[in-house]
Amino acid sequence: MNVRLMAAAAASVLALAGTAIAADAPTSASTLRALGAQIHLRIGTAAVPSDLSDPALSQITADQFSVLTPGNEMKWQVVEPQQGNFNWTGADNLVNFAEEHGELVRGHTLVWHNQLPNWLTQGVTNGTISDSQLRDLLHQHITTEVSRYRGRIWQWDVLNEMLADANPSQVKPTDFWISHLGVGIIADAFRWAHAADPEALLCYNDYNIAGEDGSNAKFNAAFALVRDLLAQKVPIDCVGDQGHLDLQYGFNPVLMTEDLHAYAKLGLKVAITEADVRMFVETTDSNQTPIVSPTDPTPNHTANPAASDWFIGMLQSCLAVKACISFTVWGFADAESWVPGAFRGEGNATIYDVNLNPKPQYTALQQTLSLAPGAPRRSRGGDRDREGDEGDRD
Ligand code: GLA
């Protein structure tokens, strides 16, 4: 652990110690972050700028979580909106906020087909950026961003969503990066990130790669990918399983546990990185806009036992696998969730309602975490060691 991380970890311990002696000690001791800390499991959320500036949101962001992921602020589209013109404000704010509150940071994300700057995609489309220039630009992007936060990022999602939704699955030949730069760009991206920050844990992040759909098709492809990278001595340290669930599909926590174990047996850490559980919600208009406004006349619609069960299932899978070092929800409040905007008629995917009251989904996580001392304790250096001392390696 380097000095900065140690400082953050020490601050975290002090923060927890501080809350333990506060007047409302029982409440503070039962925050998600405090309960996870019993076994050195970090509990996280994705945070956007309002989570850090709005008083009510920032209070929850600081109190409940011990690791933050920027929702958008580290994506290429945001950090370099015009070529050579950088905007680090949001990313800097998030890293500073995290350090002030004893939280670590999951950097997200360096190589993804989505949320790229227009100048880049247009340049590729109109031929003013050649493939070899694109490769240089990506190398520069990774080096610039990872170097900027060197020593301050716990885990980096180096690659996001490169695998096809098919059975069998494989690295998508049509992916923006693969189609232009070939599959070798995957290993190079990890090597470039490692060169820029040798201490950061480097992850492959994707959805449905821990058997969420019951088929293991995508798990098999992800497992083969990371096993091959390890065989080539590529510096990959972890697999991030997003954990975006939808009640209309199946979910099998036993399979998820087995799959997380399988990655761990390769010597990798694992993390749940973007957990939420969406469902169809009551609507009143013809566009099927979900009711997620503060004027929602049916406050009880947010209580759904199945959603609580699925949050519990994901968390239990993580708890059961010692190499699982963090459990992150993709935003904690329904009013801010990406779900209503992305899935017509669906919502109610997070753990706090639109009035920022904890939902039964929150209580489900809290109660499960209160049993965490019965789960294997993550190594303290789970924070960042590369020694594979997780006990999961064959
Ligand atoms: C994916 C990405 C995230 C985010 C969500 C939707 O899961 O990894 O960065 O964009 O979609 O909000």
Side-chain angles (χ1 to χ4, degrees), residues 35 139 234 354:
L35 293 168
H139 187 177
V234 172
V354 292

Side-chain angles (χ1 to χ4, degrees), residues 9 30 47 56 66 81 83 94 101 104 110 117 139 146 158 224 241 258 264 275 300 311 326 350 359 362 373 390:
S30 61
S66 48
Q83 188 167 13
L94 181 127
H101 295 92
L104 300 182
L110 297 167
H139 187 177
V146 177
V158 176
D241 181 47
E258 286 171 9
N300 287 333
F311 269 111
S326 59
T350 77
K359 290 158 49 176
Y362 170 93
E390 298 296 328

Side-chain angles (χ1 to χ4, degrees), residues 71-72 75 108 112 115 160-161 205 242 244 274 330 338:
N72 295 305
K75 291 172 179 168
H108 176 83
W112 190 27
Q115 292 187 266
N160 200 33
E161 302 181 348
N205 192 53
Q242 294 182 359
H244 293 298
E274 307 185 16
W330 198 251
W338 69 299

Side-chain angles (χ1 to χ4, degrees), residues 135 138-139 142-143 146 185 187-197:
R135 182 181 160 82
L138 181 62
H139 187 177
I142 291 175
T143 305
V146 177
I185 197 63
D188 286 338
F190 279 99
R191 292 189 183 110
W192 294 335
H194 182 63
D197 186 351

Side-chain angles (χ1 to χ4, degrees), residues 256-342:
M256 176 177 265
T257 309
E258 286 171 9
D259 289 352
L260 296 182
H261 261 307
Y263 295 124
K265 282 183 179 164
L266 293 174
L268 296 169
K269 316 252 187 237
V270 293
I272 303 297
T273 56
E274 307 185 16
D276 52 19
V277 182
R278 63 184 182 269
M279 67 194 75
F280 287 96
V281 294
E282 301 152 73
T283 64
T284 53
D285 67 43
S286 57
N287 290 330
Q288 289 217 306
T289 309
I291 297 172
V292 290
S293 82
T295 54
D296 179 1
T298 55
N300 287 333
H301 86 276
T302 61
N304 185 308
S308 293
D309 282 354
W310 287 21
F311 269 111
I312 291 172
M314 280 194 280
L315 178 57
Q316 285 179 330
S317 295
C318 177
L319 286 170
V321 178
K322 189 179 179 188
C324 187
I325 55 175
S326 59
F327 180 92
T328 292
V329 295
W330 198 251
F332 56 82
D334 277 348
E336 293 191 295
S337 169
W338 69 299
V339 167

Side-chain angles (χ1 to χ4, degrees), residues 63-108:
D63 287 352
Q64 295 290 336
F65 302 100
S66 48
V67 55
L68 299 185
T69 305
N72 295 305
E73 273 43 54
M74 288 186 180
K75 291 172 179 168
W76 199 341
Q77 183 183 59
V78 175
V79 300
E80 195 179 359
Q82 285 88 38
Q83 188 167 13
N85 205 338
F86 295 93
N87 176 9
W88 301 108
T89 311
D92 284 355
N93 284 346
L94 181 127
V95 174
N96 290 335
F97 182 98
E99 289 175 353
E100 279 163 24
H101 295 92
E103 297 164 314
L104 300 182
V105 179
R106 296 194 80 261
H108 176 83

